[in-house]
PDB file of all heavy atoms in Angstrom:
ATOM      1  N   PRO B  25     -60.798-129.288  22.717  1.00 98.00           N
ATOM      2  CA  PRO B  25     -60.377-130.700  22.750  1.00 98.00           C
ATOM      3  C   PRO B  25     -60.415-131.298  24.163  1.00 98.00           C
ATOM      4  O   PRO B  25     -60.085-130.612  25.138  1.00 98.00           O
ATOM      5  CB  PRO B  25     -58.938-130.664  22.238  1.00 98.00           C
ATOM      6  CG  PRO B  25     -58.838-129.402  21.451  1.00 98.00           C
ATOM      7  CD  PRO B  25     -59.747-128.426  22.135  1.00 98.00           C
ATOM      8  N   THR B  26     -60.817-132.557  24.257  1.00 97.00           N
ATOM      9  CA  THR B  26     -60.699-133.264  25.531  1.00 97.00           C
ATOM     10  C   THR B  26     -59.351-133.973  25.609  1.00 97.00           C
ATOM     11  O   THR B  26     -58.998-134.516  26.652  1.00 97.00           O
ATOM     12  CB  THR B  26     -61.810-134.310  25.702  1.00 97.00           C
ATOM     13  OG1 THR B  26     -61.815-135.164  24.569  1.00 97.00           O
ATOM     14  CG2 THR B  26     -63.171-133.654  25.845  1.00 97.00           C
ATOM     15  N   LEU B  27     -58.620-134.000  24.503  1.00 97.00           N
ATOM     16  CA  LEU B  27     -57.322-134.660  24.457  1.00 97.00           C
ATOM     17  C   LEU B  27     -56.273-133.598  24.175  1.00 97.00           C
ATOM     18  O   LEU B  27     -56.410-132.825  23.217  1.00 97.00           O
ATOM     19  CB  LEU B  27     -57.351-135.687  23.307  1.00 97.00           C
ATOM     20  CG  LEU B  27     -56.375-136.840  23.319  1.00 97.00           C
ATOM     21  CD1 LEU B  27     -56.461-137.626  24.622  1.00 97.00           C
ATOM     22  CD2 LEU B  27     -56.649-137.759  22.137  1.00 97.00           C
ATOM     23  N   GLY B  28     -55.235-133.525  25.033  1.00 96.00           N
ATOM     24  CA  GLY B  28     -54.226-132.477  24.848  1.00 96.00           C
ATOM     25  C   GLY B  28     -52.813-133.010  25.059  1.00 96.00           C
ATOM     26  O   GLY B  28     -52.617-134.056  25.678  1.00 96.00           O
ATOM     27  N   ARG B  29     -51.825-132.237  24.600  1.00 96.00           N
ATOM     28  CA  ARG B  29     -50.417-132.660  24.754  1.00 96.00           C
ATOM     29  C   ARG B  29     -49.945-132.446  26.186  1.00 96.00           C
ATOM     30  O   ARG B  29     -48.989-133.075  26.633  1.00 96.00           O
ATOM     31  CB  ARG B  29     -49.497-131.886  23.805  1.00 96.00           C
ATOM     32  CG  ARG B  29     -49.817-131.966  22.329  1.00 96.00           C
ATOM     33  CD  ARG B  29     -50.035-133.375  21.813  1.00 96.00           C
ATOM     34  NE  ARG B  29     -48.936-134.301  22.107  1.00 96.00           N
ATOM     35  CZ  ARG B  29     -48.965-135.613  21.811  1.00 96.00           C
ATOM     36  NH1 ARG B  29     -50.036-136.132  21.231  1.00 96.00           N
ATOM     37  NH2 ARG B  29     -47.944-136.384  22.108  1.00 96.00           N
ATOM     38  N   THR B  30     -50.570-131.496  26.878  1.00 96.00           N
ATOM     39  CA  THR B  30     -50.210-131.246  28.274  1.00 96.00           C
ATOM     40  C   THR B  30     -51.490-131.259  29.098  1.00 96.00           C
ATOM     41  O   THR B  30     -52.593-131.302  28.544  1.00 96.00           O
ATOM     42  CB  THR B  30     -49.520-129.876  28.466  1.00 96.00           C
ATOM     43  OG1 THR B  30     -50.397-128.865  27.999  1.00 96.00           O
ATOM     44  CG2 THR B  30     -48.199-129.812  27.722  1.00 96.00           C
ATOM     45  N   SER B  31     -51.327-131.224  30.423  1.00 96.00           N
ATOM     46  CA  SER B  31     -52.491-131.139  31.306  1.00 96.00           C
ATOM     47  C   SER B  31     -52.124-130.337  32.537  1.00 96.00           C
ATOM     48  O   SER B  31     -51.033-129.763  32.607  1.00 96.00           O
ATOM     49  CB  SER B  31     -52.974-132.549  31.662  1.00 96.00           C
ATOM     50  OG  SER B  31     -54.214-132.475  32.343  1.00 96.00           O
ATOM     51  N   VAL B  32     -53.024-130.321  33.509  1.00 96.00           N
ATOM     52  CA  VAL B  32     -52.802-129.465  34.677  1.00 96.00           C
ATOM     53  C   VAL B  32     -51.629-129.939  35.530  1.00 96.00           C
ATOM     54  O   VAL B  32     -51.320-131.127  35.574  1.00 96.00           O
ATOM     55  CB  VAL B  32     -54.058-129.397  35.574  1.00 96.00           C
ATOM     56  CG1 VAL B  32     -55.165-128.620  34.886  1.00 96.00           C
ATOM     57  CG2 VAL B  32     -54.521-130.783  35.982  1.00 96.00           C
ATOM     58  N   THR B  33     -51.002-128.975  36.236  1.00 96.00           N
ATOM     59  CA  THR B  33     -49.944-129.310  37.195  1.00 96.00           C
ATOM     60  C   THR B  33     -50.508-129.483  38.601  1.00 96.00           C
ATOM     61  O   THR B  33     -49.762-129.849  39.508  1.00 96.00           O
ATOM     62  CB  THR B  33     -48.883-128.191  37.233  1.00 96.00           C
ATOM     63  OG1 THR B  33     -49.535-126.943  37.458  1.00 96.00           O
ATOM     64  CG2 THR B  33     -48.118-128.125  35.923  1.00 96.00           C
ATOM     65  N   GLU B  34     -51.815-129.204  38.800  1.00 96.00           N
ATOM     66  CA  GLU B  34     -52.475-129.343  40.112  1.00 96.00           C
ATOM     67  C   GLU B  34     -51.897-130.509  40.917  1.00 96.00           C
ATOM     68  O   GLU B  34     -51.930-131.646  40.445  1.00 96.00           O
ATOM     69  CB  GLU B  34     -53.964-129.626  39.897  1.00 96.00           C
ATOM     70  CG  GLU B  34     -54.788-128.416  39.567  1.00 96.00           C
ATOM     71  CD  GLU B  34     -55.138-127.604  40.783  1.00 96.00           C
ATOM     72  OE1 GLU B  34     -54.903-128.101  41.909  1.00 96.00           O
ATOM     73  OE2 GLU B  34     -55.631-126.486  40.611  1.00 96.00           O
ATOM     74  N   PRO B  35     -51.434-130.261  42.146  1.00 95.00           N
ATOM     75  CA  PRO B  35     -50.791-131.342  42.909  1.00 95.00           C
ATOM     76  C   PRO B  35     -51.725-132.493  43.275  1.00 95.00           C
ATOM     77  O   PRO B  35     -51.270-133.595  43.519  1.00 95.00           O
ATOM     78  CB  PRO B  35     -50.275-130.653  44.171  1.00 95.00           C
ATOM     79  CG  PRO B  35     -50.619-129.231  44.065  1.00 95.00           C
ATOM     80  CD  PRO B  35     -51.383-128.968  42.819  1.00 95.00           C
ATOM     81  N   GLN B  36     -53.042-132.239  43.325  1.00 95.00           N
ATOM     82  CA  GLN B  36     -53.970-133.277  43.784  1.00 95.00           C
ATOM     83  C   GLN B  36     -54.940-133.712  42.695  1.00 95.00           C
ATOM     84  O   GLN B  36     -55.999-134.279  43.000  1.00 95.00           O
ATOM     85  CB  GLN B  36     -54.758-132.786  45.008  1.00 95.00           C
ATOM     86  CG  GLN B  36     -53.901-132.443  46.210  1.00 95.00           C
ATOM     87  CD  GLN B  36     -53.246-133.641  46.858  1.00 95.00           C
ATOM     88  OE1 GLN B  36     -53.497-134.783  46.489  1.00 95.00           O
ATOM     89  NE2 GLN B  36     -52.385-133.404  47.832  1.00 95.00           N
TER      90      GLN B  36
END
Side-chain angles (χ1 to χ4, degrees):
Chain B
T26 53
L27 202 55
R29 303 311 306 176
T30 58
S31 189
V32 290
T33 53
E34 281 280 349
Q36 299 291 354

